[in-house]
Amino acid sequence: MANEKAGVEDLTLARLRRIYDGTYTNWKQLGGNDLPIRLVSRDAGSGTRRAFETAVLHRSEPGVVSSYDCGDKDRDERARLTRCEVNSTKSLLDAVDRVPGAIGYAEVHAAANRPHLVSVRLDGHEPDIEWGRQRDYPFWTVEYLYTYGRPEDGSLTAKFLAFMDSDTAKNIMRMYKHIPCADRQSLPDDVCRP
């Protein structure tokens, strides 16, 4: 997603990668407004960042963090782009919502009610919960639940896993724009396994 003042609603993957490698530094270069591009990233331990690097960038994000506040190069004035890192989805959304020209990445549902955010289409595709269309949007991932062996019958872990397979849990996941493994008939074989 991007701050609405960027003036961009659709990017190709190639252009997005060139934003992150510092080739593009102003939205005007991409048909948007004359405004510097400001990258808001998750910190290195973030699973969302890992998914973004793997599925979209096909490499690690640049290591230069040039900003503390996501708005100015107050850490490294020589950096090509203004880039900051935050430690939560909420912090990322707050920064992109607040900083003109900012762009970042987060779960679609988390960004849904932000007044100054634009959900950027990638190669013409919108993020979508419908699996067939979601696979066209390049930024998606699967969440896994792991246990050390088979949980003991009646244990809290066994009860939680049973709950996750219930209609109640499936509907909660769908409500938050996640696709439960229970919908596995529409998922590739390697996504959901016992």
Side-chain angles (χ1 to χ4, degrees), residues 25-193:
T25 59
N26 191 300
W27 289 110
K28 188 175 181 178
Q29 296 169 292
L30 299 161
N33 296 322
D34 188 6
L35 196 62
I37 295 172
R38 294 177 171 99
L39 302 178
V40 183
S41 301
R42 291 292 305 276
D43 57 16
S46 164
T48 305
R49 176 175 169 169
R50 196 166 322 128
F52 183 73
E53 290 173 335
T54 302
V56 176
L57 297 182
H58 299 295
R59 63 177 183 81
S60 296
E61 281 194 57
V64 177
V65 176
S66 61
S67 178
Y68 290 109
D69 68 0
C70 304
D72 299 307
K73 292 180 192 172
D74 50 11
R75 268 183 83 165
D76 184 350
E77 292 179 13
R78 296 169 305 182
R80 187 153 169 79
L81 286 171
T82 301
R83 181 174 174 271
C84 69
E85 288 184 0
V86 296
N87 65 0
S88 70
T89 297
K90 182 184 180 317
S91 297
L92 183 137
L93 294 171
D94 288 346
V96 176
D97 200 35
R98 171 180 50 84
V99 177
I103 186 170
Y105 46 85
E107 297 84 5
V108 174
H109 182 75
N113 295 321
R114 298 294 183 127
H116 304 293
L117 295 185
V118 173
S119 189
V120 178
R121 291 181 299 276
L122 294 177
D123 288 335
H125 301 287
E126 301 251 4
D128 200 308
I129 190 170
E130 296 301 323
W131 186 254
R133 289 184 301 217
Q134 183 186 32
R135 289 194 322 198
D136 292 334
Y137 192 79
F139 180 42
W140 61 272
T141 191
V142 175
E143 300 289 337
Y144 294 94
L145 300 174
Y146 294 96
T147 63
Y148 289 105
R150 185 171 178 82
E152 191 174 312
D153 288 341
S155 69
L156 186 57
T157 302
K159 289 177 184 177
F160 177 72
L161 292 174
F163 169 74
M164 290 303 293
D165 201 30
S166 73
D167 286 340
T168 301
K170 294 173 201 172
N171 289 331
I172 291 170
M173 290 179 68
R174 288 183 193 108
M175 182 175 69
Y176 287 98
K177 306 292 184 196
H178 298 288
I179 301 171
C181 277
D183 294 345
R184 67 183 80 175
Q185 68 273 5
S186 63
L187 299 176
D189 292 338
D190 63 336
V191 171
C192 295
R193 342 172 216 219

